[in-house]
Amino acid sequence: MSSQVRLSLLPSSRCLFDEPVQVKVAGLKSRQVVTVRARATEEKGVVFSSSATFRADGNGEIDLNEDPSLSGSYVGVEPMGLFWSMRPETLHKRFRKSNALNPHVVKLSVHEKAKDRMLAVATNERLLIGYGVSRIPVKEGNIHGVLFIPPGNGPFPAVLDLCSFMSEMRASLLANKGFVVLTVAVYNDKPANIRAIHLDYFEEAADFLRRHPRVGSKGVGVLARSKGADVALSLAAFVPGIEAVVWINGCNANVALPLYYQKHQILSALMFDPSKMIPTESGAFIGKYAVDDPQAEENKASLIPVEKAEGHFLFASSEDDLNWDSKAYMNMMVERLKHHRKDNFECVCYPRAGHYLEPPYGPHFPSSFHRVVGVPVLWGGEPRSHAAAEVHLWKKIQEFFKTHLTCDGPLTKARL
């Protein structure tokens, strides 16, 4: 490495996962062309990487906030481009952060373009859990989840985070913003072993949150994507006390498994036809057109009566969602709510984003193994547009919950 070249991460090499950093290089030769690389290893051992080529200015400096990438994983001026353009080096792998205690560590390095000699290196430690946030595993009654509590005495608004499979990333990052968040999984067992979904379980989780001494909101918010999103709709429709629901790239019907509540089936299952999965050259399938039509007469018993909900909805859909037609499902819900003269919703649509809208600045993964369908699938999304959608939606989610989950006390944000 060159003792003169410096790679800096500002304002600090440690930050929260959803915060941007400024990447700067100094000590290069005037107009020198170099490659900057990023590399991270996910918790299952999957390596994600990206690279971009830059030309230094007359002072031998590069600032990713101002200087364009000339080639590589992305082109143009993108301050966080090296982070969101990282892709798995193994086919059909996704980015996972199941345990919030483990930071996302990204190694950045500067390489001489001609000889590929490493000139400088720096490490960005991206934390999922801020200073003072408590992480508490919950096994109470039927509930199996993880609770995150912000620093301070509260009172705080409460959010139930429904993940298809257990993940702590979204919940811990939201707790950093001043919310008490309980994350639970829709699938607590292998999908093949599950015969029905019981709404009572999620009602119990919501009640647990509402009773917590640090919670000050009268109702509970729910945040969910994909299969979790239709469970969130059913909670709002059938269970009192659900004040605000963020629905991300889900369906307007109860998908895959019958839904029970208080020992009775309340919704049938909207099924999908595996023969309609479209194969691609990568070996992954497109599932967008394999789900049965929820508006067909034979499937109407699976439609969720969203008009019964007393709380507010934020619907977020991606037009390039290749998992299913989430934008069409959103439009169906809007039409249904308007038909019942309801205006308790707002919508946001992202033209070139894919199914997996997550908190911002994580690596992009175009495909991965679908644990319910049993094959690799394409998720969709043009990386730059998808990354921009994640930044916008993450802010939108926080604003939505702050508006509709009122508390007696102010929100207290976690810090590093």
Side-chain angles (χ1 to χ4, degrees):
M1 286 192 296
S2 170
S3 59
Q4 294 180 337
V5 180
R6 300 179 305 280
L7 175 57
S8 303
L9 302 171
L10 305 172
S12 172
S13 61
R14 298 178 77 243
C15 64
L16 292 173
F17 182 96
D18 56 352
E19 292 179 347
V21 290
Q22 184 179 14
V23 181
K24 300 182 76 172
V25 183
L28 297 169
K29 298 174 184 177
S30 176
R31 309 298 178 185
Q32 183 176 356
V33 176
V34 296
T35 298
V36 184
R37 298 174 183 170
R39 184 180 176 91
T41 303
E42 173 259 11
E43 60 189 28
K44 297 288 186 180
V46 179
V47 176
F48 289 77
S49 61
S50 63
S51 66
T53 300
F54 299 90
R55 185 184 299 276
D57 63 15
N59 296 320
E61 297 179 350
I62 298 169
D63 183 348
L64 267 63
N65 281 12
E66 301 176 357
D67 297 322
S69 166
L70 306 177
S71 63
S73 302
Y74 73 96
V75 294
V77 178
E78 289 287 340
M80 291 294 288
L82 284 168
F83 294 84
W84 56 251
S85 69
M86 282 195 291
R87 294 180 69 156
E89 295 185 353
T90 307
L91 198 61
H92 308 319
K93 295 295 184 180
R94 59 161 293 191
F95 177 70
R96 301 176 190 272
K97 290 304 295 183
S98 298
N99 191 316
L101 297 178
N102 301 325
H104 175 46
V105 179
V106 181
K107 179 182 178 181
L108 295 105
S109 54
V110 182
H111 298 257
E112 194 174 21
K113 181 67 174 174
K115 300 179 181 179
D116 198 31
R117 182 168 64 101
M118 185 184 295
L119 302 176
V121 65
T123 299
N124 184 202
E125 189 177 10
R126 307 185 64 78
L127 307 178
L128 276 73
I129 187 165
Y131 178 79
V133 173
S134 301
R135 176 191 178 273
I136 306 170
V138 175
K139 290 186 178 180
E140 181 174 312
N142 295 308
I143 304 170
H144 287 245
V146 181
L147 181 70
F148 295 91
I149 304 174
N153 295 322
F156 303 109
V159 175
L160 178 63
D161 184 5
L162 302 183
C163 301
S164 295
F165 298 93
M166 195 62 186
S167 173
E168 299 180 15
M169 182 172 74
R170 197 168 55 188
S172 60
L173 291 172
L174 195 58
N176 295 333
K177 314 302 180 185
F179 298 89
V180 172
V181 188
L182 173 64
T183 181
V184 298
V186 173
Y187 294 102
N188 280 314
D189 196 352
K190 294 180 180 179
N193 296 337
I194 299 175
R195 296 288 177 260
I197 299 292
H198 294 269
L199 200 58
D200 312 71
Y201 174 73
F202 305 100
E203 180 182 35
E204 185 178 348
D207 288 342
F208 171 87
L209 267 176
R210 193 183 293 109
R211 296 193 309 268
H212 196 278
R214 299 275 188 90
V215 169
S217 54
K218 64 174 183 177
V220 171
V222 185
L223 172 60
R225 183 191 58 241
S226 200
K227 173 57 188 174
D230 70 63
V231 175
L233 294 179
S234 295
L235 268 174
F238 294 107
V239 174
I242 305 301
E243 294 294 319
V245 170
V246 176
W247 173 100
I248 305 170
N249 288 334
C251 189
N252 62 325
N254 176 61
V255 180
L257 295 161
L259 184 68
Y260 283 76
Y261 183 46
Q262 297 177 350
K263 300 182 180 179
H264 299 284
Q265 181 177 314
I266 57 174
L267 292 175
S268 61
L270 180 71
M271 302 307 292
F272 58 91
D273 184 351
S275 69
K276 294 181 180 179
M277 301 277 287
I278 302 171
T280 68
E281 291 183 1
S282 72
F285 290 77
I286 296 174
K288 186 169 187 172
Y289 308 104
V291 182
D292 292 343
D293 179 6
Q295 304 249 75
E297 189 64 36
E298 65 270 21
N299 296 324
K300 287 188 175 179
S302 69
L303 287 169
I304 301 164
V306 288
E307 70 278 2
K308 292 184 178 181
E310 296 299 323
H312 291 79
F313 293 110
L314 170 61
F315 300 132
S317 69
S318 298
E319 290 188 16
D320 194 38
D321 184 350
L322 297 182
N323 184 61
W324 50 23
D325 200 352
S326 54
K327 185 185 178 186
Y329 301 148
M330 182 180 76
N331 291 340
M332 292 175 194
M333 285 191 292
V334 168
E335 183 179 349
R336 180 168 183 145
L337 287 166
K338 287 182 176 178
H339 177 75
H340 287 87
R341 298 181 180 180
K342 303 279 282 190
D343 61 358
N344 58 335
F345 63 91
E346 55 185 297
C347 302
V348 60
C349 186
Y350 300 105
R352 302 183 69 190
H355 182 71
Y356 258 97
L357 289 176
E358 293 275 31
Y361 311 129
H364 182 75
F365 52 96
S367 62
S368 70
F369 185 80
H370 196 301
R371 293 171 67 180
V372 176
V373 179
V375 295
V377 301
L378 293 181
W379 300 114
E382 184 277 319
R384 184 194 301 263
S385 300
H386 189 90
E390 290 183 330
V391 172
H392 181 271
L393 180 59
W394 188 236
K395 293 178 180 177
K396 187 79 175 173
I397 289 169
Q398 296 168 51
E399 292 168 357
F400 176 77
F401 281 142
K402 288 175 184 177
T403 299
H404 298 291
L405 297 175
T406 54
C407 260
D408 294 334
L411 292 183
T412 302
K413 292 185 179 180
R415 56 186 175 84
L416 291 182

